[in-house]
Amino acid sequence: EAYVIEFYQPWCPHCQHYKPTYIEIAAAVTRRAVGTKVNFFAVSCELYANLCHTYEVHGYPTILGYGTGSDSLVRGIELNGEDAPDLSAESIGELLTIQLAHEQIDGWESSYSNSEDRRNREREKEEVATKAAEMKREWQSYPSTLNDRYHNAALSLAFALKTGVYSRFGKLSDDRALALSDFLDLVDWTTPQSWSVRTGLVKELRLRFHDVVVSSKSNLIDMVERDQDLHEQKKGDAAMDHLWGYIGVPRRPKRRNAITGLGGDVPDTKRMDKVSSRNRKWTEACTHGLPAHGFTCGLWDLFHIITIGASLQEHQLYGFHAGYLTSNRDVALTIRNFVANFFACDVCRWNFIDMYDNCGHDHCNRLPSESSIILGESGGTGRGAEIVKELPLWLFQVHNAVNVRLMDEAAARANREVTLEEKRSALYPQVEMCPKCWTDVETNEYDPDAVYNFLKTWYWPKGERIDAGFASVLNRNLVARGIRVVRPKATLSSFFLTMAITVGIFGVILKLANSFSWGSTGSGKRHQQRHYSQKHSTKKTGNGHIAHEPRRHRFRRPPA
């Protein structure tokens, strides 16, 4: 007997698309094998992570083959490696030394008995194409909120950290550690200040990068899951509308009601289990009923958020003065390195790297290596203001190109040509969502200002709050540059808190002043009475009232 095993991840797009091809190849080999029984299997690395680790599965899908008499306890022959031929029944037979019977393969055209059959087949293709376009258009325009997008982005970041950092090569090499550190720095200066994932998880990962992130996979996973579990949920909120990653929803400030084992009190276990389950699921806007689609959708959301944040003046200045590399090219390269090192879908990773390394969408000329802070203020109308828009627009083009390519590949698998309607449905945003964005849908021509404004509205919160730490770094050297100083926005609660603290401090100061003025022993009241009696004399007035007269001598304050 011989064995062929496919190791895959449910979230991997190419794994999903490859499924019918793998089944077709398995059927062909099983049907044509002579004298050898060939068994085909598929293993989910999400469910059987230890098994995939044992067989050194570094990317997905990975297909291993074992010929007759091979040792199944060691890694077999990789049938779909970079240097291997395209997987087919013939390549499997050659690599595993299996004899296959010859089989004539007829094309679609040879199966038509008459013109009516041909017309029916063409009609079927048109119906399939129309249905695919309608489904894609429905997915693209599915209603979602800003918090949905940030929740999905947070989940994909967490999922990549838990499954991509240590899954491919085991130990985290110096190059991969640097790529991860650069990406975390990028998330720090490009994402909103009110995003709890930035102020919570990302901050802790950066502070404890060497003793937690680089130390072991278990420590990294524990830190990520701990942040998700400490997310603050409103008690009594049956719908639990506030999920991990929402804008403006903080982590729990203390560990009270934390999940058992994290150092807190024992909580309502059923409620917390439900919260934890919800915090680990992508929203319907990403999955559309197919949970495996959530990861890549949320990752695109994260990349779009990053590129929009990198185009904003306040965030550029913060990153620049914090010592980060803030040019458009640096941001794009950091995203490229993150995909190259931590995105485990082999085909997706190869396509993205190939696109970037070959100056895809002219990014070599469009994205300068100088920061827009040096080229000119991004908030104005000069050169810098136009350059910063190129990064979000470049990623917008990359994303749409991937959507169109996936539609084309789906059509090819069905042995037909992709239609213009399908290509239109793959473009984002849809014309109905942004009528001014597209000037010519057929040629993919767009209005840069309209698209940028749409992306900013879609991915960035209005009236972003700037916290004190952010403003402190942001305001360095700004006065000398003649730029207005950015101050954190005060809320009503922070106003009352500040007033309360001010009044309390003022009261303490007065009390200390009185204490030092009247002596350091005895009660303050006794010192006041003694001081009063020494400075004043009393005498009765004509109407019987007592009048107080200041004494004419100097009061000598006792030593402290």
Short mmCIF file of all heavy atoms in Angstrom, two decimals, residues 402-443:
data_model
loop_
_atom_site.label_atom_id
_atom_site.label_comp_id
_atom_site.label_asym_id
_atom_site.label_seq_id
_atom_site.Cartn_x
_atom_site.Cartn_y
_atom_site.Cartn_z
N VAL A 402 -6.08 40.83 -6.01
CA VAL A 402 -6.22 39.48 -5.43
C VAL A 402 -7.65 38.98 -5.61
O VAL A 402 -7.87 37.81 -5.97
CB VAL A 402 -5.82 39.49 -3.94
CG1 VAL A 402 -6.16 38.15 -3.29
CG2 VAL A 402 -4.34 39.78 -3.79
N ASN A 403 -8.64 39.85 -5.36
CA ASN A 403 -10.04 39.45 -5.53
C ASN A 403 -10.31 39.01 -6.96
O ASN A 403 -10.98 37.99 -7.20
CB ASN A 403 -10.96 40.62 -5.17
CG ASN A 403 -11.02 40.88 -3.68
OD1 ASN A 403 -10.67 40.01 -2.87
ND2 ASN A 403 -11.43 42.08 -3.29
N VAL A 404 -9.82 39.77 -7.94
CA VAL A 404 -10.05 39.42 -9.34
C VAL A 404 -9.33 38.12 -9.69
O VAL A 404 -9.88 37.26 -10.41
CB VAL A 404 -9.58 40.57 -10.25
CG1 VAL A 404 -9.65 40.16 -11.72
CG2 VAL A 404 -10.43 41.82 -10.03
N ARG A 405 -8.10 37.95 -9.19
CA ARG A 405 -7.37 36.72 -9.48
C ARG A 405 -8.07 35.50 -8.93
O ARG A 405 -8.13 34.44 -9.58
CB ARG A 405 -5.94 36.82 -8.91
CG ARG A 405 -5.11 35.56 -9.12
CD ARG A 405 -3.68 35.76 -8.65
NE ARG A 405 -3.60 36.16 -7.26
CZ ARG A 405 -3.70 35.32 -6.24
NH1 ARG A 405 -3.93 34.03 -6.45
NH2 ARG A 405 -3.59 35.76 -4.99
N LEU A 406 -8.64 35.60 -7.73
CA LEU A 406 -9.36 34.47 -7.14
C LEU A 406 -10.60 34.13 -7.97
O LEU A 406 -10.94 32.95 -8.13
CB LEU A 406 -9.74 34.79 -5.70
CG LEU A 406 -8.58 34.90 -4.71
CD1 LEU A 406 -9.08 35.27 -3.33
CD2 LEU A 406 -7.80 33.59 -4.64
N MET A 407 -11.29 35.16 -8.48
CA MET A 407 -12.45 34.90 -9.33
C MET A 407 -12.00 34.20 -10.62
O MET A 407 -12.67 33.28 -11.11
CB MET A 407 -13.15 36.21 -9.67
CG MET A 407 -13.84 36.88 -8.48
SD MET A 407 -15.24 35.93 -7.84
CE MET A 407 -16.45 36.19 -9.12
N ASP A 408 -10.88 34.62 -11.17
CA ASP A 408 -10.36 34.01 -12.39
C ASP A 408 -9.97 32.55 -12.16
O ASP A 408 -10.23 31.68 -13.00
CB ASP A 408 -9.15 34.82 -12.88
CG ASP A 408 -8.67 34.34 -14.24
OD1 ASP A 408 -9.41 34.52 -15.22
OD2 ASP A 408 -7.55 33.78 -14.30
N GLU A 409 -9.34 32.27 -11.01
CA GLU A 409 -8.95 30.90 -10.70
C GLU A 409 -10.18 30.01 -10.49
O GLU A 409 -10.18 28.85 -10.90
CB GLU A 409 -8.07 30.88 -9.46
CG GLU A 409 -6.70 31.50 -9.67
CD GLU A 409 -5.89 31.55 -8.40
OE1 GLU A 409 -6.44 31.18 -7.32
OE2 GLU A 409 -4.71 31.96 -8.44
N ALA A 410 -11.22 30.56 -9.86
CA ALA A 410 -12.45 29.79 -9.66
C ALA A 410 -13.09 29.44 -11.00
O ALA A 410 -13.60 28.32 -11.19
CB ALA A 410 -13.42 30.57 -8.78
N ALA A 411 -13.07 30.39 -11.94
CA ALA A 411 -13.62 30.12 -13.26
C ALA A 411 -12.79 29.07 -14.00
O ALA A 411 -13.33 28.19 -14.68
CB ALA A 411 -13.68 31.41 -14.07
N ALA A 412 -11.46 29.14 -13.85
CA ALA A 412 -10.59 28.16 -14.52
C ALA A 412 -10.84 26.76 -13.99
O ALA A 412 -10.79 25.78 -14.75
CB ALA A 412 -9.13 28.57 -14.33
N ARG A 413 -11.09 26.65 -12.69
CA ARG A 413 -11.36 25.32 -12.13
C ARG A 413 -12.66 24.74 -12.68
O ARG A 413 -12.82 23.52 -12.72
CB ARG A 413 -11.43 25.41 -10.60
CG ARG A 413 -10.08 25.62 -9.93
CD ARG A 413 -10.18 25.39 -8.44
NE ARG A 413 -11.06 26.35 -7.80
CZ ARG A 413 -10.68 27.53 -7.32
NH1 ARG A 413 -9.40 27.89 -7.42
NH2 ARG A 413 -11.54 28.34 -6.75
N ALA A 414 -13.58 25.61 -13.07
CA ALA A 414 -14.83 25.16 -13.67
C ALA A 414 -14.73 25.05 -15.18
O ALA A 414 -15.74 24.88 -15.87
CB ALA A 414 -15.96 26.11 -13.30
N ASN A 415 -13.49 25.18 -15.71
CA ASN A 415 -13.23 25.04 -17.14
C ASN A 415 -14.01 26.07 -17.97
O ASN A 415 -14.62 25.76 -18.98
CB ASN A 415 -13.56 23.62 -17.62
CG ASN A 415 -12.91 23.31 -18.96
OD1 ASN A 415 -11.81 23.79 -19.25
ND2 ASN A 415 -13.60 22.54 -19.78
N ARG A 416 -13.95 27.33 -17.53
CA ARG A 416 -14.63 28.41 -18.26
C ARG A 416 -13.83 29.70 -18.07
O ARG A 416 -12.94 29.77 -17.21
CB ARG A 416 -16.06 28.60 -17.76
CG ARG A 416 -16.17 28.98 -16.29
CD ARG A 416 -17.60 29.20 -15.86
NE ARG A 416 -17.71 29.57 -14.45
CZ ARG A 416 -17.52 30.79 -13.98
NH1 ARG A 416 -17.21 31.78 -14.80
NH2 ARG A 416 -17.62 31.04 -12.69
N GLU A 417 -14.17 30.69 -18.86
CA GLU A 417 -13.53 31.99 -18.76
C GLU A 417 -14.30 32.86 -17.76
O GLU A 417 -15.54 32.80 -17.69
CB GLU A 417 -13.50 32.68 -20.12
CG GLU A 417 -12.65 31.97 -21.17
CD GLU A 417 -11.18 32.04 -20.83
OE1 GLU A 417 -10.77 33.02 -20.15
OE2 GLU A 417 -10.43 31.13 -21.24
N VAL A 418 -13.56 33.67 -16.99
CA VAL A 418 -14.20 34.58 -16.06
C VAL A 418 -14.91 35.67 -16.85
O VAL A 418 -14.41 36.13 -17.89
CB VAL A 418 -13.18 35.18 -15.08
CG1 VAL A 418 -12.18 36.08 -15.81
CG2 VAL A 418 -13.87 35.95 -13.97
N THR A 419 -16.08 36.07 -16.41
CA THR A 419 -16.87 37.07 -17.12
C THR A 419 -16.58 38.47 -16.59
O THR A 419 -16.05 38.65 -15.48
CB THR A 419 -18.36 36.79 -16.99
OG1 THR A 419 -18.75 36.91 -15.61
CG2 THR A 419 -18.69 35.38 -17.47
N LEU A 420 -16.94 39.49 -17.38
CA LEU A 420 -16.76 40.87 -16.96
C LEU A 420 -17.61 41.17 -15.73
O LEU A 420 -17.19 41.92 -14.84
CB LEU A 420 -17.13 41.82 -18.11
CG LEU A 420 -17.01 43.31 -17.81
CD1 LEU A 420 -15.59 43.69 -17.45
CD2 LEU A 420 -17.49 44.13 -19.02
N GLU A 421 -18.79 40.57 -15.67
CA GLU A 421 -19.65 40.77 -14.50
C GLU A 421 -19.00 40.26 -13.23
O GLU A 421 -19.09 40.88 -12.16
CB GLU A 421 -21.00 40.07 -14.72
CG GLU A 421 -22.00 40.29 -13.60
CD GLU A 421 -23.30 39.54 -13.83
OE1 GLU A 421 -23.37 38.76 -14.80
OE2 GLU A 421 -24.24 39.74 -13.03
N GLU A 422 -18.30 39.12 -13.32
CA GLU A 422 -17.60 38.58 -12.16
C GLU A 422 -16.46 39.50 -11.73
O GLU A 422 -16.24 39.71 -10.53
CB GLU A 422 -17.06 37.19 -12.48
CG GLU A 422 -18.12 36.11 -12.58
CD GLU A 422 -17.54 34.76 -12.94
OE1 GLU A 422 -17.13 34.60 -14.10
OE2 GLU A 422 -17.49 33.87 -12.07
N LYS A 423 -15.73 40.03 -12.70
CA LYS A 423 -14.63 40.94 -12.36
C LYS A 423 -15.16 42.20 -11.68
O LYS A 423 -14.55 42.70 -10.74
CB LYS A 423 -13.86 41.31 -13.63
CG LYS A 423 -13.05 40.17 -14.22
CD LYS A 423 -12.25 40.63 -15.43
CE LYS A 423 -11.40 39.50 -15.99
NZ LYS A 423 -10.61 39.93 -17.17
N ARG A 424 -16.29 42.70 -12.14
CA ARG A 424 -16.89 43.88 -11.51
C ARG A 424 -17.32 43.58 -10.08
O ARG A 424 -17.14 44.40 -9.18
CB ARG A 424 -18.09 44.35 -12.33
CG ARG A 424 -17.74 44.98 -13.67
CD ARG A 424 -19.02 45.32 -14.42
NE ARG A 424 -18.74 45.95 -15.71
CZ ARG A 424 -19.69 46.25 -16.60
NH1 ARG A 424 -20.96 45.97 -16.34
NH2 ARG A 424 -19.35 46.82 -17.74
N SER A 425 -17.87 42.40 -9.89
CA SER A 425 -18.35 42.05 -8.54
C SER A 425 -17.20 41.89 -7.56
O SER A 425 -17.40 42.00 -6.35
CB SER A 425 -19.17 40.75 -8.60
OG SER A 425 -18.34 39.64 -8.92
N ALA A 426 -15.99 41.60 -8.08
CA ALA A 426 -14.84 41.39 -7.19
C ALA A 426 -14.23 42.71 -6.72
O ALA A 426 -13.45 42.71 -5.76
CB ALA A 426 -13.78 40.56 -7.90
N LEU A 427 -14.56 43.82 -7.38
CA LEU A 427 -13.96 45.10 -7.02
C LEU A 427 -14.58 45.66 -5.75
O LEU A 427 -15.78 45.52 -5.51
CB LEU A 427 -14.16 46.11 -8.16
CG LEU A 427 -13.47 45.75 -9.48
CD1 LEU A 427 -13.74 46.83 -10.52
CD2 LEU A 427 -11.96 45.59 -9.29
N TYR A 428 -13.72 46.28 -4.95
CA TYR A 428 -14.17 46.87 -3.68
C TYR A 428 -13.63 48.29 -3.58
O TYR A 428 -12.46 48.53 -3.88
CB TYR A 428 -13.68 46.04 -2.50
CG TYR A 428 -14.27 46.49 -1.20
CD1 TYR A 428 -15.53 46.05 -0.82
CD2 TYR A 428 -13.58 47.36 -0.36
CE1 TYR A 428 -16.09 46.48 0.37
CE2 TYR A 428 -14.13 47.78 0.82
CZ TYR A 428 -15.38 47.34 1.18
OH TYR A 428 -15.93 47.76 2.35
N PRO A 429 -14.50 49.25 -3.19
CA PRO A 429 -15.91 49.09 -2.83
C PRO A 429 -16.80 48.96 -4.06
O PRO A 429 -16.42 49.38 -5.16
CB PRO A 429 -16.21 50.41 -2.09
CG PRO A 429 -15.29 51.39 -2.72
CD PRO A 429 -14.03 50.64 -3.05
N GLN A 430 -17.97 48.37 -3.86
CA GLN A 430 -18.93 48.28 -4.92
C GLN A 430 -19.41 49.68 -5.33
O GLN A 430 -19.37 50.61 -4.54
CB GLN A 430 -20.12 47.43 -4.49
CG GLN A 430 -19.79 45.96 -4.31
CD GLN A 430 -19.54 45.25 -5.63
OE1 GLN A 430 -20.45 45.08 -6.44
NE2 GLN A 430 -18.29 44.86 -5.87
N VAL A 431 -19.85 49.79 -6.58
CA VAL A 431 -20.29 51.08 -7.09
C VAL A 431 -21.42 51.64 -6.24
O VAL A 431 -21.50 52.86 -5.98
CB VAL A 431 -20.73 50.95 -8.55
CG1 VAL A 431 -21.27 52.29 -9.07
CG2 VAL A 431 -19.57 50.48 -9.42
N GLU A 432 -22.30 50.76 -5.75
CA GLU A 432 -23.43 51.22 -4.92
C GLU A 432 -22.93 51.81 -3.60
O GLU A 432 -23.59 52.68 -3.03
CB GLU A 432 -24.39 50.06 -4.64
CG GLU A 432 -25.08 49.49 -5.87
CD GLU A 432 -24.18 48.57 -6.66
OE1 GLU A 432 -23.07 48.24 -6.18
OE2 GLU A 432 -24.57 48.16 -7.78
N MET A 433 -21.81 51.34 -3.10
CA MET A 433 -21.27 51.83 -1.84
C MET A 433 -20.54 53.15 -2.01
O MET A 433 -20.53 53.98 -1.09
CB MET A 433 -20.33 50.79 -1.23
CG MET A 433 -20.97 49.45 -0.95
SD MET A 433 -19.78 48.22 -0.37
CE MET A 433 -19.28 48.92 1.18
N CYS A 434 -19.91 53.34 -3.15
CA CYS A 434 -19.15 54.58 -3.40
C CYS A 434 -19.26 54.92 -4.88
O CYS A 434 -18.37 54.57 -5.68
CB CYS A 434 -17.69 54.40 -2.98
SG CYS A 434 -16.69 55.89 -3.18
N PRO A 435 -20.33 55.59 -5.29
CA PRO A 435 -20.52 55.91 -6.72
C PRO A 435 -19.40 56.76 -7.31
O PRO A 435 -19.10 56.65 -8.50
CB PRO A 435 -21.85 56.67 -6.73
CG PRO A 435 -22.54 56.28 -5.47
CD PRO A 435 -21.45 56.06 -4.47
N LYS A 436 -18.75 57.58 -6.49
CA LYS A 436 -17.72 58.48 -7.01
C LYS A 436 -16.34 57.81 -7.08
O LYS A 436 -15.40 58.39 -7.63
CB LYS A 436 -17.62 59.73 -6.14
CG LYS A 436 -18.88 60.59 -6.15
CD LYS A 436 -18.68 61.83 -5.29
CE LYS A 436 -19.94 62.71 -5.30
NZ LYS A 436 -19.75 63.91 -4.45
N CYS A 437 -16.22 56.61 -6.51
CA CYS A 437 -14.91 55.98 -6.45
C CYS A 437 -14.43 55.51 -7.83
O CYS A 437 -13.25 55.62 -8.16
CB CYS A 437 -14.93 54.79 -5.49
SG CYS A 437 -15.01 55.29 -3.74
N TRP A 438 -15.35 54.96 -8.61
CA TRP A 438 -14.96 54.36 -9.89
C TRP A 438 -15.34 55.27 -11.05
O TRP A 438 -16.50 55.63 -11.21
CB TRP A 438 -15.62 52.99 -10.06
CG TRP A 438 -15.21 52.02 -8.99
CD1 TRP A 438 -15.94 51.66 -7.89
CD2 TRP A 438 -13.98 51.31 -8.91
NE1 TRP A 438 -15.24 50.77 -7.13
CE2 TRP A 438 -14.03 50.52 -7.73
CE3 TRP A 438 -12.85 51.23 -9.71
CZ2 TRP A 438 -12.98 49.70 -7.34
CZ3 TRP A 438 -11.81 50.42 -9.33
CH2 TRP A 438 -11.87 49.66 -8.15
N THR A 439 -14.35 55.63 -11.85
CA THR A 439 -14.63 56.42 -13.06
C THR A 439 -14.88 55.52 -14.25
O THR A 439 -15.57 55.91 -15.19
CB THR A 439 -13.44 57.36 -13.36
OG1 THR A 439 -12.25 56.58 -13.49
CG2 THR A 439 -13.27 58.36 -12.22
N ASP A 440 -14.30 54.31 -14.24
CA ASP A 440 -14.54 53.33 -15.30
C ASP A 440 -14.30 51.94 -14.73
O ASP A 440 -13.16 51.53 -14.51
CB ASP A 440 -13.60 53.57 -16.50
CG ASP A 440 -14.01 52.76 -17.73
OD1 ASP A 440 -14.68 51.72 -17.55
OD2 ASP A 440 -13.64 53.17 -18.85
N VAL A 441 -15.40 51.23 -14.47
CA VAL A 441 -15.29 49.92 -13.82
C VAL A 441 -14.63 48.91 -14.74
O VAL A 441 -13.88 48.03 -14.29
CB VAL A 441 -16.69 49.44 -13.38
CG1 VAL A 441 -16.61 48.07 -12.73
CG2 VAL A 441 -17.33 50.44 -12.44
N GLU A 442 -14.89 49.00 -16.05
CA GLU A 442 -14.36 48.01 -16.98
C GLU A 442 -12.84 48.04 -17.02
O GLU A 442 -12.19 47.00 -17.18
CB GLU A 442 -14.94 48.25 -18.37
CG GLU A 442 -16.46 48.03 -18.45
CD GLU A 442 -16.97 48.17 -19.86
OE1 GLU A 442 -16.13 48.28 -20.78
OE2 GLU A 442 -18.19 48.15 -20.05
N THR A 443 -12.25 49.23 -16.90
CA THR A 443 -10.79 49.35 -16.93
C THR A 443 -10.19 49.54 -15.54
O THR A 443 -8.99 49.80 -15.41
CB THR A 443 -10.38 50.54 -17.82
OG1 THR A 443 -10.97 51.74 -17.30
CG2 THR A 443 -10.85 50.31 -19.25
#
